[in-house]
Every structure is written in C-alpha cells, then in structure tokens.
Amino acid sequence: MSARRIAIVAVAVGAAVLAWWFFARPRPAPPSIVLITIDTLRADRVGAYGAGPGRTPTLDALAAEGVVVEDAWASVPLTLPSHATILSGLEPPHHGVHDNGTYVFPPEPPTLATLLGARGYATGAFVGAYVLDRRFGLARGFAQYDDAIERRTSGASVLESERRAETVTSAAVSWIKAQTGPFLAWVHLYDPHAPYDPPSPFRERFEGRPYEGEIAYVDASLAPLLAAARERAGDRLVVLVTADHGEGLGDHGERTHGFFVYGATLRVPLILAGAGVPRAEKRAGPARSADILPTLLALAGIAPPAGLPGSDLLRGPRPREAYAETLYPQTLGWAPLRAFRSGSLRLIEAPRPELYDLSDDPGETRDRFAERPQEAERLRAALAAVRAGEREAAAGPADAATTERLRALGYVAGAMPGAVAADAKDPKDALPLWQRLEEANWAAARGDHAAAVPVLRALLAEEPGNVAFKRALSASLRGLGRAREAAELLGSADGDATAWHERALALTEAGQIDEAIRSEDRARALNPLLPEVHNHIGVLQARKGRLIEALGAFDEAVRLDPNNVRAHTNRANALRSMGRVSEAREAYLSATRIAPEDADALNGLGVLAVQGGATDEAVQLFRRVLARDPSHAEARLNLAVAEARAGRPDAARIELEQILRGPGSSDVKDRARRFLRDLGY
Ligand SMILES: [Zn+2]
C-alpha cells in the first residue's frame, strides 16, 4: 500500500518535472514594435501598390520582406480621428473623435500604448503635426510623447505647425537607441500633407509633382529609423507602416481630403514585416485601420480587449465589412457623410445616397443606388447597427489659436457640429463652394489676405448664415488690418465661444480693450476650457496693470495647454513684473524646453540675468536672440544695458547706434537715445 502511494508520488513528481521542462523552454522575447503612420499617403503612390519603382524604395524593400495588405481602408479621412482608430481599434462612433481640433480622445479606452505599456514595454510617440498634440488625448499610455512642435500664430510661419520627417525620425532614433527592453515606437510623418513642399533634392527630382516628392522624401527618411530599430531589436522587431488617409488629387473633384468618403481618400497602404510575419506575401483585403491593433497585439502574444470590431490580419478571419465617415462637411454647415462596405458593395449615406460595386467599378464612378434598392437597404441597416452604440462626443478644446494653426494646415476647425439641419446641403452639391473656400484658405495661409477677402465675401453672399465663412472672412480682414470690420462681422455671434474670442482679438487690434475683455468674458463663460481665451484675458489684464488677475489667467492657460510657449512667456513676464524672480525664471525655462530659441523667453532670461548681476550670461542670451532676429530692438537695447553694466560702454554704444539706424518702435529708440546721452556720447 505504501509502495503504491510512493509510486503515485513518483509519477506525480515526474509529471511535474516534465511540466517544468516544458514551460522553462526559452520563450522568445516579446517583439519590439515600430508603428509608422505617414500622413496623407495614397496607397497607389507606393511602389509596392503599383506606383512603379523609384519613388518609395524603403517601403518597397519592407514590403518585399513582409506582407502587403491590399485593399486596406481607413475609417475616416481626417488625421486625429483616423489615428484614434489606429491606436484603439475602435471605429469613430465608438471612440467619439470625429474631427481635428474639436474633439478629445476619451480617457478610458485601452490603446496600443496602454496595453503594451502594461506588459512592460517602453512606449514612445513622435508626431509631426499639431493636430496630434497631446491636448487631443492620444498621448495617454505613452511614457514619452514628443509633440514639441513650435507654434506660431501669424504670417507665413504658421506653416511651422508641422515639422519635417527628419526632425521626427531623429528624435525617434535617439529614443530607440536608449532602450534596453521591448519597446513600442509610434512615428507620425506629416510631410505629404498639403502644402506640398519637398526639400532638395526631392524638389528637383520630382519637379512638377511635389506631392510625390514629399512621399519620396519621407521614404528616404525612414531608412535610418528602420536601421536603428533593427540594430536595437535584432530579429525581435515588428514594423507596420500605414497612412491615416489618402489624398483626393482631383478624384471626384476633391483636391485634398476630409470632404468625401471615396476610396481616393480612404484607401491606404498597410505593410508589415518582421518577427512572426510571413515573408513576401500579398494578402487580399479588405482590411481596415481598426484591424491594426488586434494584428500587432497578436504578434506580441497579447489578447485584444473584448468587443473590438477588428481582427488579426495574419491569422484571424478575413474582414468583409467596413465603416467609414466624415463629419467635416458639417463643420461648414453641410450634411455629414457615412459609408458602409460589405464585400464589394459600398453604400454612402448622404441626402442623395450612393451605391457602388467595387468589383467592376473600383473608382466609384457608377452609382447603382437606384438599380439595387434591396442591397442598398441591407447596407443601410448594417450602417445603422454600427451607429447604434454611438458614444457621446468627447469634450472639444477648439479655440482660435487651435483654429488658426489648423487653418494653416488646410483645415477649417469649428465648434463641435450640432444637429444636422433637415435641409443641409449634400456635400456633392456644396463641392463648388468648398473648392472656393479652400482657395481662400490657402491664400490666407500664404498671408495673401487681399486675395482671400473677395472670395470669402462672395461665398458669404451665397450662404449669409454660414459661420465658417464669417469666421474665415473675419480672420482675413484682421490680416489686412481692418480690425473694426472684422469685429463687427462676429458681433452677432451667438453661443460660440471661439467666435467671441476671435471678436475679442479683433477688438484688441482696434484698440477697444474694455470691450475686448467683455467679449472674452463671454467666451470664457461659454467654454472655460479654451487656453487662448485665458491667455488673451491675461494679456488684456496686464495692459490694464492688473497683474494678479493677469497671472491667474496665464496659470490657467498653461494648465490647459502645457505646450503653449506664448502662455509660458506671458506668465513669466507677469511674475517678473511682480518681482517673483525664481518663479519667473522657471516659467521662461518652461518655454525654452518647448522652443529652445524662443526670442521672448531668452530675452526675459537675459533681463533676469542682468538683474542678478550675471552680465556675461545676459550678453550671451541677448546675442542668441539677435542671431536669429537682428531686428529685435528690445533685445538689442537690453544687450546695450548688459554691455554697459559689464564695463564695456563702447560695445554698448555700437548696439545703441544700430537701434537708432534700424527699425523698431519710437519708444525703444527714445530710450536708446537717452541711454547714449547718459553714457556720455
Ligand atoms: Zn492626416
């Protein structure tokens, strides 16, 4: 009896040992993942998708060693909502982000970053445009979110609301090189987005085809990024490249994207390669952006969250259905568009709905809605089912500075669209108006407001109630210095915080400070979450000498938008005026962490250095400002003070004489003249 028991124990021990050996076999390390999203990249402009060789050699080489998913579609032709889908696996009705600049990704859905971060991955994101700033919610889960894009709000420099691919990839490369374990790096490259302006030598090589030049440039910039990732992760690396949407390039009359939901702006490349990915295969689609998260999680050996619509593109069931939408036309007062695909059939729901059969009409040129009513009805019911669980729109942070930057990127950002009017125009019918508005926006973004104004006036004559037209016209009138007219145009604004704020800016420019404060108070009451409203209130209160009120407003602005350089320097200036030196210094440094050469911040730090007796440090700071902007008269005057304090009156005199010869306000010149006299010259 005891022998039997012993035998059983022995068997049990043996089994346990076997099991131990089984589980202790070295398991492969979790793969590192590089997710690359190239903005505005049409699938058919990539070599691996039939564009021909020579344009995208890096992507084509990646495709040759991995899988090319054909017939891949984004859910929405807009940057922020599409990235929300890529990163969360949720379709727009379920993540609630429908447009750029007006929505925030909600705080609870798991994303690629939160899921991999929870498994010990290092997580870093490197984005190329303001539309993906952390304010809009996609930073959650990323330990590092590099969105330090210098923002300017006037003139040609607004275009700097994006940064070149090389800047983004070099930040990503430095971060990747510092990793010691598995990592997720999301790299977003904005260059192919309009305006098309490839750098040399791509500008010359693609003369007359600047969009393709931008694509070729981005492709070239990927090579060092992929090399660094391979060096760090070895054969435990997965790379996935896709786009957030395509570009119309004139298809269906749409030059850019966002306005329609045809394949021209929704078909995207989807290439993946590396650990666990078959080599040199083409997969027939259809595939969706929502399939990216389940596919990457499967490669990392992680089960996706329950209830997601997407599937693992390598081993899961082949998707047959796809949702798409754009609510962008609604921003302009027109009807939104939604689409549903089942197999080769695509329904576009609009005031005049359309039905296409991609099997013999991939360009969606032959509307079959009238011919095939039963199939159209079936797709319409399926579309309604997707929307059944639609979530409330997430709170929107749009304000005039956001709007200004987005306008520079070619978008009209407005208040969150309300209910659709029953008689809202079908975007197909509004296309000519949209094309003219786009022309005006581009002219305004170039600084050519004189060209924009007559176009906008004509548009407003056709749709006198169109708030998007009114605000664009008001902005261009301000650009021409016609501030009073600009304010009057928005005088009847009801209910829209951004319009009240824009009115306040116009009133300030017209010198009506008290009325501007009242207008801004209304904006703040309507939406207390707009950083530029608080920033502007601070500026106005400071002009009135009310520094405590000003400081409170700047505090709120930087709390709402920690990347806002101007709000940091304004806050620092207020603190300095109040004699709170060390806090002022900290605030200037907050500005230079985002924009290292920001003139106002360096000038402010220089003033503090002079006051603290560190004249040599001050001289260096003022010279840095002047190296970039020799016409900065205030910095030059400060430089003269620092030189004099350092016992170099001759050096001071040279600077003061230069101020008197150059541009600059009469106030600065008066002070320079007095200073020269005091120095004995
Ligand atoms: Zn985009």
Side-chain angles (χ1 to χ4, degrees):
M1 191 172 144
S2 69
R4 256 179 79 193
R5 190 175 290 158
I6 287 165
I8 288 164
V9 169
V11 167
V13 167
V17 168
L18 271 177
W20 180 79
W21 276 108
F22 181 77
F23 286 113
R25 271 191 320 184
R27 301 218 309 173
S32 288
I33 295 172
V34 176
L35 168 64
I36 298 166
T37 56
I38 302 174
D39 216 286
T40 322
L41 176 55
R42 250 175 96 123
D44 63 9
R45 292 303 190 273
V46 176
Y49 284 81
R55 295 168 179 150
T56 53
T58 317
L59 289 179
D60 299 347
L62 195 70
E65 66 174 79
V67 167
V68 174
V69 182
E70 298 186 310
D71 203 18
W73 290 63
S75 309
V76 45
L78 294 164
T79 307
L80 178 71
S82 185
H83 279 94
T85 293
I86 291 168
L87 291 171
S88 72
L90 294 168
E91 295 292 11
H94 303 120
H95 60 58
V97 179
H98 300 282
D99 200 352
N100 294 322
T102 39
Y103 296 83
V104 174
F105 185 74
E108 85 292 342
T111 67
L112 196 57
T114 67
L115 293 163
L116 292 175
R119 296 293 184 110
Y121 274 67
T123 50
F126 307 86
V127 304
Y130 174 72
V131 278
L132 296 178
D133 187 85
R134 70 186 63 215
R135 286 183 66 203
F136 305 115
L138 292 183
R140 183 165 53 84
F142 285 103
Q144 161 114 351
Y145 196 85
D146 180 353
D147 56 354
I149 297 156
E150 203 172 328
R151 296 104 165 263
R152 298 291 169 93
T153 51
S154 63
S157 57
V158 270
L159 299 174
E160 291 167 15
S161 318
E162 58 176 300
R163 45 182 188 169
R164 284 269 188 224
E166 281 161 292
T167 312
V168 181
T169 54
S170 70
V173 164
S174 312
W175 182 83
I176 286 170
K177 283 183 171 166
Q179 300 313 313
T180 51
F183 61 84
L184 163 69
W186 165 37
V187 182
H188 164 250
L189 305 169
Y190 197 68
D191 303 69
H193 195 283
Y196 315 130
D197 177 28
S200 269
F202 301 95
R203 183 181 306 154
E204 293 77 17
R205 263 181 56 203
F206 291 86
E207 212 192 321
R209 294 177 295 152
Y211 173 64
E212 294 187 21
E214 294 267 37
I215 292 169
Y217 162 64
V218 165
D219 182 87
S221 75
L222 291 178
L225 172 69
L226 294 177
R230 284 183 184 120
E231 195 183 317
R232 182 51 53 199
D235 61 358
R236 301 303 297 152
L237 177 69
V238 171
V239 179
L240 190 150
V241 183
T242 190
D244 56 346
H245 51 78
E247 186 79 320
L249 303 178
D251 288 4
H252 299 272
E254 185 180 25
R255 277 168 293 184
T256 57
H257 57 270
F259 196 71
F260 287 138
V261 286
Y262 299 112
T265 59
L266 288 174
R267 279 205 60 204
V268 290
L270 207 172
I271 299 167
L272 69 166
V277 180
R279 288 183 68 87
E281 274 190 25
K282 279 192 193 293
R283 295 279 166 118
R288 305 155 297 191
S289 297
D291 298 318
I292 289 171
L293 175 102
T295 304
L296 290 176
L297 287 178
L299 286 166
I302 299 171
L308 290 184
S311 47
D312 173 5
L313 290 170
L314 297 177
R315 289 163 196 91
R318 195 172 142 190
R320 284 188 43 80
E321 301 188 324
Y323 169 87
E325 65 163 49
T326 180
L327 272 60
Y328 186 54
Q330 215 176 324
T331 306
L332 304 151
W334 305 320
L337 296 172
R338 292 186 177 85
F340 194 81
R341 174 176 178 180
S342 177
S344 67
L345 285 183
R346 271 193 103 222
L347 171 84
I348 297 177
E349 200 171 60
R352 290 188 289 117
E354 300 152 64
L355 183 75
Y356 298 101
D357 188 339
L358 301 177
S359 65
D360 64 358
D361 180 23
E364 298 169 288
T365 55
R366 230 184 103 198
D367 178 12
R368 261 93 167 222
F369 187 80
E371 279 167 43
R372 297 161 77 168
Q374 281 169 342
E375 284 164 304
E377 198 42 53
R378 179 171 62 81
L379 265 65
R380 186 179 259 170
L383 173 59
V386 173
R387 293 192 59 205
E390 198 152 12
R391 78 180 279 151
E392 288 276 304
D399 59 41
T402 301
T403 305
E404 199 58 42
R405 288 176 214 129
L406 293 175
R407 198 178 278 139
L409 300 172
Y411 292 107
V412 178
M416 203 173 296
V420 186
D423 61 347
K425 266 199 180 97
D426 190 311
K428 292 189 284 295
D429 301 326
L431 181 66
L433 296 175
W434 164 237
Q435 289 173 331
R436 285 155 64 198
L437 179 62
E438 239 184 354
E439 288 293 345
N441 284 340
W442 287 344
R446 287 195 307 271
D448 189 356
H449 296 290
V453 164
V455 179
L456 293 166
R457 279 214 191 282
L459 286 170
L460 201 53
E462 285 182 50
E463 286 198 354
N466 192 309
V467 179
F469 295 168
K470 271 189 200 175
R471 289 179 40 213
L473 177 56
S474 172
S476 277
L477 287 171
R478 281 175 52 212
L480 291 175
R482 288 153 65 179
R484 225 173 282 271
E485 277 174 84
E488 273 162 28
L489 200 59
L490 298 177
S492 60
D494 38 33
D496 183 339
T498 307
W500 282 106
H501 172 56
E502 288 176 347
R503 181 170 175 268
L505 294 175
L507 287 165
T508 305
E509 286 160 16
Q512 296 171 247
I513 305 304
D514 292 319
E515 186 56 29
I517 292 178
R518 277 192 287 279
S519 194
E520 216 52 291
D521 283 343
R522 271 195 92 156
R524 180 173 55 184
L526 287 165
N527 185 348
L529 299 176
L530 308 182
E532 283 302 328
V533 168
H534 296 277
N535 186 44
H536 190 216
I537 289 174
V539 170
L540 295 171
Q541 296 289 12
R543 272 179 76 162
K544 287 272 167 187
R546 298 194 281 257
L547 287 177
I548 294 178
E549 287 87 343
L551 181 62
F554 294 136
D555 283 346
E556 189 59 9
V558 301
R559 192 185 68 76
L560 290 166
D561 185 9
N563 265 349
N564 193 323
V565 176
R566 199 55 49 231
H568 282 293
T569 53
N570 285 337
R571 183 170 170 273
N573 288 337
L575 286 163
R576 186 169 52 77
S577 302
M578 296 164 90
R580 290 160 65 172
V581 172
S582 63
E583 289 165 274
R585 189 180 153 76
E586 258 326 298
Y588 286 127
L589 291 174
S590 297
T592 57
R593 273 193 285 276
I594 306 155
E597 297 303 317
D598 183 81
D600 292 339
L602 295 177
N603 185 49
L605 284 168
V607 170
L608 291 181
V610 172
Q611 288 171 346
T615 45
D616 285 337
E617 184 196 332
V619 165
Q620 297 300 321
L621 286 161
F622 297 134
R623 287 203 187 285
R624 261 169 78 189
V625 176
L626 293 167
R628 279 177 57 119
D629 181 7
S631 68
H632 200 300
E634 207 176 302
R636 199 172 292 284
L637 184 64
N638 288 333
L639 174 59
V641 174
E643 294 285 19
R645 290 262 182 107
R648 295 187 288 267
D650 284 345
R653 189 193 54 161
I654 290 168
E655 303 303 337
L656 293 168
E657 285 172 347
Q658 194 164 337
I659 292 172
L660 294 176
R661 280 197 306 273
S665 70
S666 54
D667 173 53
V668 172
K669 288 193 175 187
D670 281 348
R671 284 155 68 185
R673 211 168 282 122
R674 276 202 306 270
F675 192 16
L676 262 179
R677 224 178 18 242
D678 291 347
L679 287 172
Y681 293 107

